[in-house]
Amino acid sequence: MEQHRTRPAQYGPRRSGAPLPAQGRGGAAAARPPVGRVAGRPVGRPVQPARPAPGAGSPVARVVRALRGMPNPRLTGLGSGLFCAAVMTLLGFLDGLLFGASLTVYGVLFVPVSLLTALWVRRGDLLTAPVVVPIAFAVGLVPVAESGDGLGGRLMGLVTALATEAGWLYGGTLVAGSAVIVRRIRLVRRRAAARNRPPAA
């Protein structure tokens, strides 16, 4: 004889559309938000704020960021020589117009131009920068140096200016040579690291 199962009266009739509590849908584990990966980071976990790199606000870091933001052309050996000579000649004329042909001002302006020449020459022509820099110094010195009558007087004035401003000449050449050495060391290390890097599977 078939027996019908009866539901106790205290529970009442089951409603078909009533939502189940959290325990009925899988307990506390189901109540937690799903943990997945969206855009490379887990979802549902607190994101830690990014901490600034140590020394990010130091003067050296600001100088490095400023140098990286500058234009970065790559000049050939001939192009770097023409660039340095043209800039120094222009600065020589401006020095004669604004500062009365001051050799000290000309020497001070020569140092940053030498540095830019060494930084902007391409890697294959690094050794040309310390060579073209003194030549450009002498070329730009023509409108600044005191000149006498005739070609002999001009040459004598140029030689005298080179002798009196030899410190700035050596200083700018040393700055260019140091920049070239640093770039050369970095290039050698980069090539060695690329050579020792294991090939991709």
Side-chain angles (χ1 to χ4, degrees):
M1 183 175 181
E2 185 178 359
Q3 296 181 355
H4 297 280
R5 295 181 180 180
T6 59
R7 184 176 179 82
Q10 61 269 22
Y11 291 100
R14 182 187 299 272
R15 290 175 293 179
S16 59
L20 294 176
Q23 292 80 3
R25 294 196 302 270
R32 292 196 301 264
V35 177
R37 300 191 69 85
V38 176
R41 64 180 181 85
V43 177
R45 296 177 183 176
V47 180
Q48 298 294 336
R51 296 181 179 179
S58 62
V60 177
R62 289 196 294 268
V63 171
V64 171
R65 286 196 298 268
L67 290 177
R68 289 179 178 177
M70 294 179 62
N72 192 21
R74 282 292 170 253
L75 303 174
T76 62
L78 179 60
S80 62
L82 293 177
F83 163 77
C84 192
V87 172
M88 292 312 301
T89 303
L90 178 61
L91 292 177
F93 280 110
L94 292 178
D95 184 18
L97 293 175
L98 301 177
F99 301 101
S102 173
L103 294 176
T104 303
V105 173
Y106 179 82
V108 171
L109 295 175
F110 172 68
V111 176
V113 174
S114 303
L115 178 60
L116 290 179
T117 303
L119 292 178
W120 287 353
V121 67
R122 65 183 184 180
R123 298 172 182 173
D125 298 325
L126 282 176
L127 298 180
T128 61
V131 178
V132 301
V133 161
I135 299 175
F137 182 87
V139 171
L141 200 59
V142 172
V144 182
E146 295 181 0
S147 58
D149 297 333
L151 182 60
R154 287 184 175 273
L155 289 177
M156 186 59 65
L158 181 60
V159 171
T160 304
L162 287 173
T164 55
E165 300 302 317
W168 292 111
L169 175 60
Y170 294 149
T173 306
L174 180 62
V175 168
S178 302
V180 166
I181 291 174
V182 171
R183 288 189 59 191
R184 184 65 181 176
I185 292 175
R186 292 183 60 186
L187 179 61
V188 171
R189 289 182 178 178
R190 194 176 304 164
R191 288 178 177 175
R195 195 181 304 114
N196 297 332
R197 189 179 305 161

